[in-house]
Amino acid sequence: MNTDFTFTIKRVSFDEHYHPADSTRITTNFANLARGEKRQENLRNALRMVDNRFNALANWDNPKGDRYSVELDIISVEMDVSGSGESFPSIEILKTNIVDHVTNERIEGIVGNNFSSYVRDYDFSVVLLDHNKNQPQFSVPGDFGDLHGKLFQHFVNSEAYKAHFKKLPVICLSVSDNKVYHRTENQHPILGFEYLANETSLTEQYFKKMGLQVRYFMPPNSVAPLAFYFFGDLLNDYTNLELISTISTMETFQKIYRPEIYNANAVAGKCYQPNLNNADHSITQIVYDREERSRLAKAQGKFAEEHFIKPYQHILEQWSANHA
């Protein structure tokens, strides 16, 4: 049996000319922006927001606030499970690169940032729903996320990953609206004040199976903390500019997709619970269809079931058993 799945890594620039590939999950943050009549205006405005936020955080030796710009690459990872040459679009992530217009340097940023996965859609929109159908109380299957977690770690440890990226990924997500976060006295110059959550979440448990731990920080001049999922030591493994590239990119996305939290008019206090019904927030000038995004998650989960889970079930089960 083929036990060494083959990963193929492709990259495409995320700029104002970006068009989503056919294999891209259409609910993915960057793909959603690149559709409709205002697609180019959406993209241009989002990228301008990223650059402005980057320069606001990287303000040393930057008197005019225009020293840096951020370039984004969409990294698409395809996986050949059977060795047949047929591949399945396993994940998509973002890679940041920083352009210093004073030194004319191009500096590598962080890979990860946004995280998109058909198999995660399958787990949350098919497995979890089926498991809880007609059940009086919500529960989670014992092996929930096991396969996805093993596949992700297999990718990160693969020669393909190491050939393309120097550092391990950092994924940045929004905070959960059903948890309470308490601000600590721990303050990082770039990441800002650290927050602690009152309890773990299903998302945290899912990402833990991917080998990732989580910490919550609210960067300077932000209004809510962000969730940073990472391997190793988040505060010491990455440079200030690398961290800023992730914050500026993902905070921009969250202001567009979660304005009730990240474009709120009030700043998170010492004790903070996000509220998706918060009316006191500002809307960006960027068009986004949140309802469509939620509706299509189940369809994408079914796609993964039909084109990946069922056709390769025997191979995947044997491989997963051997990677306990």
Side-chain angles (χ1 to χ4, degrees):
M1 185 190 77
N2 175 37
T3 57
D4 187 20
F5 299 156
T6 303
F7 295 102
T8 302
I9 295 174
K10 299 176 180 177
R11 66 177 71 205
V12 61
S13 293
F14 179 66
D15 54 26
E16 63 182 74
H17 307 295
Y18 166 70
H19 286 273
D22 291 339
S23 60
T24 294
R25 287 166 67 251
I26 50 178
T27 59
T28 299
N29 289 349
F30 41 79
N32 193 290
L33 290 182
R35 300 164 67 207
E37 291 180 12
K38 295 193 172 183
R39 55 170 305 279
Q40 197 162 42
E41 187 181 336
N42 276 348
L43 294 168
R44 197 176 293 131
N45 287 340
L47 293 167
R48 188 181 299 117
M49 285 173 66
V50 173
D51 287 349
N52 289 343
R53 183 63 171 128
F54 190 101
N55 283 292
L57 285 167
N59 53 19
W60 59 93
D61 290 341
N62 190 4
K64 294 182 179 178
D66 60 357
R67 176 169 179 167
Y68 302 100
S69 57
V70 179
E71 295 178 350
L72 297 172
D73 286 334
I74 297 166
I75 307 297
S76 300
V77 183
E78 296 182 355
M79 184 169 60
D80 181 353
V81 172
S82 63
S84 65
E86 290 187 14
S87 58
F88 180 79
S90 56
I91 64 172
E92 277 189 326
I93 46 183
L94 278 178
K95 172 72 166 57
T96 61
N97 293 294
I98 305 143
V99 179
D100 184 335
H101 298 289
V102 171
T103 64
N104 291 320
E105 274 185 286
R106 195 167 177 274
I107 305 159
E108 275 205 57
I110 285 178
V111 64
N113 302 291
N114 191 84
F115 180 74
S116 170
S117 163
Y118 275 112
V119 178
R120 183 173 65 164
D121 282 340
Y122 166 72
D123 282 337
F124 278 91
S125 299
V126 177
V127 173
L128 203 56
L129 288 183
D130 288 348
H131 178 76
N132 286 283
K133 195 175 290 181
N134 302 321
Q135 297 299 313
Q137 195 170 356
F138 178 83
S139 66
V140 178
D143 61 352
F144 184 70
D146 283 2
L147 175 63
H148 183 270
K150 290 173 185 178
L151 290 172
F152 181 77
Q153 292 192 62
H154 192 57
F155 166 61
V156 170
N157 290 313
S158 70
E159 291 305 316
Y161 183 92
K162 293 171 186 174
H164 284 81
F165 311 114
K166 294 177 182 176
K167 293 188 178 182
L168 292 169
V170 176
I171 295 164
C172 183
L173 304 180
S174 62
V175 286
S176 170
D177 62 328
N178 53 22
K179 293 203 296 186
V180 178
Y181 300 85
H182 295 274
R183 192 172 72 207
T184 71
E185 294 304 310
N186 187 34
Q187 185 180 17
H188 184 272
I190 300 302
L191 293 167
F193 277 107
E194 183 166 19
Y195 278 73
L196 297 178
N198 65 326
E199 60 183 356
T200 188
S201 68
L202 184 55
T203 298
E204 279 183 28
Q205 294 163 22
Y206 194 81
F207 275 78
K208 189 174 183 180
K209 291 191 175 183
M210 295 162 61
L212 297 160
Q213 53 188 311
V214 64
R215 292 178 76 171
Y216 302 96
F217 286 92
M218 186 166 78
N221 299 316
S222 296
V223 297
L226 291 159
F228 295 88
Y229 288 87
F230 59 95
F231 297 94
D233 185 343
L234 177 67
L235 275 60
N236 291 305
D237 290 348
Y238 303 92
T239 67
N240 284 344
L241 290 181
E242 286 172 340
L243 292 173
I244 291 171
S245 72
T246 285
I247 294 166
S248 59
T249 300
M250 296 314 297
E251 193 176 82
T252 294
F253 280 141
Q254 299 302 352
K255 283 182 177 181
I256 297 165
Y257 302 124
R258 289 280 184 266
E260 301 90 344
I261 297 175
Y262 291 98
N263 226 22
N265 294 325
V267 178
K270 289 184 177 180
C271 178
Y272 174 65
Q273 180 165 11
N275 179 11
L276 286 173
N277 296 313
N278 171 34
D280 186 22
H281 67 272
S282 302
I283 301 291
T284 66
Q285 299 300 305
I286 298 169
V287 179
Y288 165 62
D289 191 336
R290 183 190 291 178
E291 185 184 336
E292 180 193 53
R293 189 171 188 240
S294 301
R295 190 174 69 247
L296 288 172
K298 189 169 183 179
Q300 292 173 165
K302 288 288 187 185
F303 173 84
E305 182 179 39
E306 292 168 15
H307 296 275
F308 183 69
I309 300 297
K310 284 184 175 177
Y312 303 113
Q313 187 168 8
H314 180 63
I315 295 174
L316 292 169
E317 284 176 353
Q318 278 199 324
W319 178 86
S320 185
N322 292 330
H323 288 76

